[in-house]
Amino acid sequence: MAATPLLRLEGVSKRFGAVQALSEVDFECDAGEVVALVGDNGAGKSTLVKAVAGTQPADSGRIVFDGAEVHIGTPQAAAKLGIATVYQDLALCDNLDVVANLYVGRERARGLGRNLRILDEIGMEREALGLLERLAVSIPSVRTDVASLSGGQRQSVAVARATMGHPKLVILDEPTAALGVVQTRQVLDLVHRLRSDGLGVIVISHNLVDVFAVADRIVVLRLGRRVATFTVADTTAEDVVAAITGAKTEEVRSAYTTEAS
């Protein structure tokens, strides 16, 4: 961990009626680090991420980003700080091509005379090609409709769109869910490139194989509390499963051995 993390949460709590979704959770992520956030369904992963993304602000606690305490009350506030989130549904427009999806809501225009402006299609296409090349995203064409792309390509386009505002932190919600082996590899390679570019990356995932392939640290939530933190190089999947379930590592290892035999 760096002396000053890019993102630090201190004592963050969130309640929905009678349900205490988060209870005084601490969390941190450095620039140039991939942190996996894992836990069973209902552990509080999505709630924690939405507090950072501004879609469901925390009830209490402190958020420190890039060395300054901040209040993230809206997604716009998060984006202004340099926090980009790619949710599991990706929010892509299937009937539009890749360029249009990258620029939807922030289209570029150029002037033709005093009062006439048109979309700068050539400029947007050129910048889209440069962005996808930098991220090593492989697609048939930037003019291909998103509906015809594979799951991995769609995920890559969504991540590329998130980086267009030059964020400092990217949050990925189940980025490899329902993807095949090749598509998963594409997405994990993209996460590695984000880290190499110096971005902080938070990955929510249920797939521990993918987590161990891409993360530097693993933070485990259970029933709304942070219960464990692991350095990937110094831990095993059995340790993480034990923290997620509340079982002992030996019990998990014995269960794995029984299944394998």
Side-chain angles (χ1 to χ4, degrees), residues 109-223:
R110 57 189 177 90
L112 289 179
R114 180 177 299 177
N115 299 313
L116 180 62
R117 294 179 65 80
I118 63 171
L119 287 178
D120 184 9
E121 295 284 359
I122 295 176
M124 289 190 293
E125 181 173 320
R126 184 185 303 115
E127 290 188 14
L129 285 167
L131 172 64
L132 297 177
E133 181 178 354
R134 179 174 63 82
L135 294 175
V137 175
S138 177
I139 57 175
S141 166
V142 292
R143 289 304 179 183
T144 301
D145 284 351
V146 163
S148 65
L149 298 179
S150 70
Q153 291 169 334
R154 289 165 59 87
Q155 182 76 53
S156 297
V157 169
V159 174
R161 183 179 61 187
T163 67
M164 290 190 66
H166 302 290
K168 299 176 181 179
L169 176 71
V170 177
I171 303 171
L172 305 175
D173 184 9
E174 296 287 356
T176 59
L179 297 184
V181 174
V182 174
Q183 298 170 345
T184 294
R185 186 71 262 166
Q186 292 173 342
V187 173
L188 296 182
D189 287 345
L190 180 54
V191 175
H192 282 298
R193 282 189 287 275
L194 296 179
R195 177 176 56 191
S196 297
D197 286 344
L199 278 67
V201 184
I202 300 172
V203 177
I204 298 178
S205 181
H206 284 92
N207 190 319
L208 290 186
V209 174
D210 294 346
V211 165
F212 274 82
V214 77
D216 299 297
R217 289 188 302 117
I218 302 170
V219 172
V220 181
L221 296 184
R222 188 170 72 245
L223 299 177

Side-chain angles (χ1 to χ4, degrees), residues 16 32 44 57 99 102 105 108 120 184 193 241 251:
F16 298 100
V99 174
L102 291 175
R108 303 282 179 84
D120 184 9
T184 294
R193 282 189 287 275
V241 171
E251 295 173 349

